[in-house]
Amino acid sequence: MEFSSGFSVITGETGAGKSIILGAIGLLLGQRADLKTIKQGADKCIIEAHFDLSRYKMKPFFEQNDIEYDATDTIIRRELTASGKSRAFVNDSPVALTLLKELGERLVDVHSQHQNLLINKHDFQLQVVDIIAQDSNELEAYARSYADYQELQRRLQMLLDEIEQNERNKDFLQFQFEELTAARLVADEQEDLEARADTMTHAEDIKQAFFKAENHLLDEESGVVARLKWTTTALHDIEHVYPKAKELAERLQSSYIELKDIADEVSTCLENIDFDPAEMDAINARLDRIYDLEKKYRVQTVEELLAIQKDLERRISQMENSADAVDELKQQVEKAHQLCITLANELTSKRKAASELIEQQMLKRLVPLGMPKVRFQIELSKSELQRTGQDKVAFLFSANSSTPLQPVAQVASGGEIARVMLALKAMISGAVKLPTIIFDEIDTGVSGKIAEQMAQMMQEMGAQDRQVISITHLPQIAAKGSTHYKVYKDETPQGTTSHMLQLGPDERINEIAQMLSGSDVTDAAIQNAKELLKI
């Protein structure tokens, strides 16, 4: 299917397959996939759309997301498999569904009957005002400030909670701190004590080993050191008659020096190894104290005990200086609050100006849609600071001068809401440069001259460098399209197949005549269709 620019219409009998088109577009826009989408017996479903974005300045979006940019042929593809897998691609680059949805929101706006329910949502109403106010920079600055304000509030509450809990446990915290301080813990002392205890436990074995080593090295007759010295001397004695003996003697001399040094260290170790019961008791007592503290505080090391001690000291100090800490943080919270109010007031100012403009624009659009006495007003009221500022927005509506203004969803009929939403969309489309807008049976509840005016409005939207596509059952709207597509279905041996056909002039006359008179097309219906088409 290749859609034309400007205002196009799609018609077809109920059940012909118009919902298939919208379902496919929804998948391309990042909606969740349903396996029922895949035709029974098929392994895969692929939906692909090509967009010409050359007039919409979207290159930065592609660069920020590291996607190849093709201004005249941007391809979006969605693949679903019968096994439940779903993949999305933009210009053949795999992308996350969230990114596809973000891009889709910039490409296509699908307005269906159920979307009319948005008119009652305060978020939607505020969004409309913000779009017309073009306050994205102010809104972003406020959002950052509000996030900082919330973070400071969170930190203040955490501090107050901690102080309250510390006050309840003040005596216990003090006892714990004094207990750990009195223990005079030193980093790494546990490992050192355990090594010393292990040495003393095996003192006899260690001493015996060093004694044997000393004897083997230093015995005057059989010791390695003495024998090495004799050997060196013997080689030196013959070096004048056998020169190579000198080199060997010098090498042995180096070994002799090293072995002599080792032997001295062995002797020193032997002298220092001794089992002192009193020292062993002291080491065990200290280790028992450390082990008891570790068990009590549910840790494994002295370093963790020292960390607890430091935290206890901080908490006790915090209690002593809590008033100053709370006052300082309260000042920061108040400063952030005042900044939020300042930025929120700037938002309010822009929203008030935009609201007045919206009221004027809506009246201009609604009066030609069969509401000569219509009143439309935007009520801005103050609220507590929140993520979007301090404004509550309410769209008030009255179809005639005798009825008081009330929230639009409470007093407007289905047909009136459809017209209000169309007027809003027409106004928003001027501020948001969306390439494609699709209206799915927005004409429900209207007919005749009003339908023609709605079509005129959609025509004007389509004249602003975009595609506007209306799925309609009304001949008055179908006749206004610059391009007309028909959806129909065929029954084949393989099952029901839906088709879309771009109608030529004669086919279009016949289609609109059928919409006017039903399946039996009369000459009067043909003539009427030509009049609607201005042929």
Side-chain angles (χ1 to χ4, degrees):
M1 293 174 280
E2 186 166 343
F3 293 101
S4 301
S5 60
F7 179 46
S8 301
V9 294
I10 299 174
T11 61
E13 296 179 0
T14 301
K18 297 187 294 295
S19 61
I20 295 176
I21 299 168
L22 290 175
I25 291 172
L27 288 171
L28 287 172
L29 301 183
Q31 291 180 7
R32 291 186 63 183
D34 186 343
L35 288 181
K36 294 177 182 176
T37 304
I38 302 176
K39 190 171 184 177
Q40 190 171 4
D43 297 325
K44 183 184 288 188
C45 171
I46 301 175
I47 310 103
E48 185 173 286
H50 296 240
F51 290 86
D52 180 352
L53 305 179
S54 54
R55 296 191 299 271
Y56 293 96
K57 298 179 181 179
M58 293 184 65
K59 187 175 182 180
F61 176 86
F62 287 79
E63 291 176 341
Q64 289 165 13
N65 292 286
D66 196 24
I67 303 171
E68 182 182 347
Y69 177 66
D70 187 333
T72 58
D73 189 21
T74 290
I75 305 171
I76 295 180
R77 188 169 77 254
R78 186 88 179 269
E79 296 182 2
L80 314 176
T81 64
S83 62
K85 291 183 180 179
S86 169
R87 298 194 301 169
F89 301 86
V90 177
N91 290 335
D92 288 328
S93 297
V95 297
L97 204 58
T98 51
L99 181 62
L100 186 70
K101 190 170 185 179
E102 185 180 352
L103 177 59
E105 289 172 352
R106 296 169 179 240
L107 297 178
V108 181
D109 176 32
V110 179
H111 183 89
S112 57
Q113 290 183 58
H114 76 270
Q115 203 179 23
N116 287 339
L117 300 174
L118 286 174
I119 197 68
N120 197 33
K121 303 291 184 182
H122 294 296
D123 288 348
F124 171 75
Q125 297 178 4
L126 180 61
Q127 186 181 21
V128 170
V129 174
D130 282 334
I131 288 171
I132 301 304
Q134 296 185 335
D135 58 9
S136 58
N137 291 336
E138 290 82 359
L139 195 56
E140 187 177 336
Y142 169 81
R144 287 196 301 268
S145 175
Y146 183 68
D148 293 341
Y149 170 55
Q150 283 189 309
E151 174 60 19
L152 287 167
Q153 281 187 310
R154 186 189 67 81
R155 285 169 50 190
L156 175 60
Q157 189 58 52
M158 283 181 63
L159 177 60
L160 292 172
D161 291 345
E162 187 175 8
I163 290 171
E164 182 182 355
Q165 183 177 1
N166 289 344
E167 286 295 335
R168 288 198 300 267
N169 301 323
K170 185 175 182 179
D171 293 341
F172 181 59
L173 294 175
Q174 188 67 40
F175 167 77
Q176 288 183 313
F177 176 68
E178 291 173 358
E179 179 181 47
L180 290 171
T181 302
R184 298 182 182 276
L185 298 165
V186 179
D188 299 326
E189 72 167 316
Q190 180 178 344
E191 292 82 357
D192 181 55
L193 288 169
E194 288 173 342
R196 287 167 60 193
D198 199 38
T199 298
M200 296 190 76
T201 300
H202 300 87
E204 193 61 35
D205 295 337
I206 295 169
K207 196 165 186 176
Q208 186 66 28
F210 275 122
F211 178 78
K212 289 179 179 179
E214 184 185 48
N215 190 51
H216 289 317
L217 288 167
L218 296 176
D219 185 81
E220 291 184 1
E221 294 184 2
S222 62
V224 174
V225 174
R227 286 175 175 271
L228 193 59
K229 185 175 182 181
W230 298 336
T231 306
T232 303
T233 301
L235 291 174
H236 273 305
D237 289 344
I238 63 170
E239 64 184 29
H240 65 284
V241 295
Y242 192 76
K244 185 169 179 61
K246 182 180 180 180
E247 179 190 346
L248 294 171
E250 288 174 349
R251 289 168 63 187
L252 283 173
Q253 181 65 26
S254 297
S255 298
Y256 167 77
I257 294 170
E258 177 67 15
L259 279 174
K260 186 68 172 64
D261 186 58
I262 292 172
D264 291 342
E265 284 195 37
V266 167
S267 298
T268 301
C269 290
L270 180 60
E271 291 174 6
N272 292 336
I273 295 297
D274 196 15
F275 178 74
D276 183 348
E279 184 182 358
M280 187 65 178
D281 289 343
I283 290 173
N284 285 333
R286 181 61 175 170
L287 283 172
D288 287 343
R289 178 61 175 150
I290 292 172
Y291 294 152
D292 287 343
L293 289 172
E294 288 175 348
K295 183 177 180 182
K296 180 176 182 179
Y297 289 93
R298 299 179 180 179
V299 295
Q300 302 292 324
T301 65
V302 170
E303 285 72 17
E304 290 174 294
L305 287 173
L306 288 169
I308 292 172
Q309 180 182 339
K310 186 176 181 180
D311 184 60
L312 288 167
E313 184 178 21
R314 178 191 64 80
R315 292 168 71 178
I316 292 168
S317 174
Q318 187 182 72
M319 283 187 282
E320 295 169 353
N321 303 293
S322 59
D324 292 340
V326 169
D327 287 344
E328 182 181 352
L329 202 47
K330 280 184 175 178
Q331 289 175 15
Q332 293 180 36
V333 169
E334 180 57 28
K335 185 177 178 181
H337 181 252
Q338 290 302 321
L339 178 59
C340 280
I341 290 176
T342 299
L343 296 175
N345 285 336
E346 292 177 10
L347 273 174
T348 299
S349 178
K350 295 203 76 169
R351 285 166 174 168
K352 283 181 177 177
S355 295
E356 293 174 4
L357 179 62
I358 292 170
E359 290 171 355
Q360 297 168 10
Q361 292 292 320
M362 287 296 286
L363 291 179
K364 287 181 181 179
R365 287 179 166 86
L366 289 174
V367 169
L369 295 180
M371 301 184 191
K373 303 291 185 181
V374 68
R375 287 181 292 157
F376 185 90
Q377 183 177 315
I378 297 177
E379 182 181 75
L380 275 178
S381 57
K382 291 272 188 179
S383 69
E384 294 292 325
L385 288 177
Q386 51 191 322
R387 183 179 54 82
T388 54
Q390 60 181 354
D391 302 310
K392 288 179 66 176
V393 175
F395 286 180
L396 305 180
F397 174 85
S398 174
N400 52 70
S401 55
S402 62
T403 305
L405 286 163
Q406 294 185 57
V408 60
Q410 296 179 18
V411 294
S413 66
E416 288 169 343
I417 286 177
R419 282 174 274 175
V420 169
M421 285 299 289
L422 176 60
L424 285 172
K425 290 281 182 175
M427 181 179 59
I428 291 171
S429 69
V432 180
K433 300 299 183 183
L434 278 168
T436 303
I437 302 175
I438 300 173
F439 291 103
D440 179 22
E441 299 183 0
I442 194 174
D443 47 38
T444 300
V446 298
S447 59
K449 186 67 175 175
I450 296 172
E452 191 174 339
Q453 289 295 331
M454 292 177 75
Q456 182 69 36
M457 193 173 292
M458 287 186 272
Q459 265 188 329
E460 292 170 2
M461 292 168 66
Q464 300 173 7
D465 282 339
R466 68 169 56 86
Q467 289 172 319
V468 177
I469 301 167
S470 177
I471 298 173
T472 182
H473 287 297
L474 294 181
Q476 292 86 353
I477 289 180
K480 288 288 185 180
S482 56
T483 311
H484 190 155
Y485 304 90
K486 180 178 180 178
V487 178
Y488 64 97
K489 63 182 179 181
D490 272 344
E491 297 293 341
T492 68
Q494 290 75 34
T496 304
T497 305
S498 290
H499 303 271
M500 176 177 273
L501 175 68
Q502 182 175 339
L503 300 182
D506 293 338
E507 294 169 317
R508 193 172 184 193
I509 293 170
N510 190 63
E511 173 68 8
I512 292 175
Q514 280 189 335
M515 295 173 74
L516 287 165
S517 65
S519 56
D520 294 329
V521 177
T522 63
D523 291 339
I526 293 288
Q527 188 58 38
N528 202 353
K530 289 180 178 180
E531 290 175 5
L532 285 174
L533 290 165
K534 294 184 168 41
I535 294 176

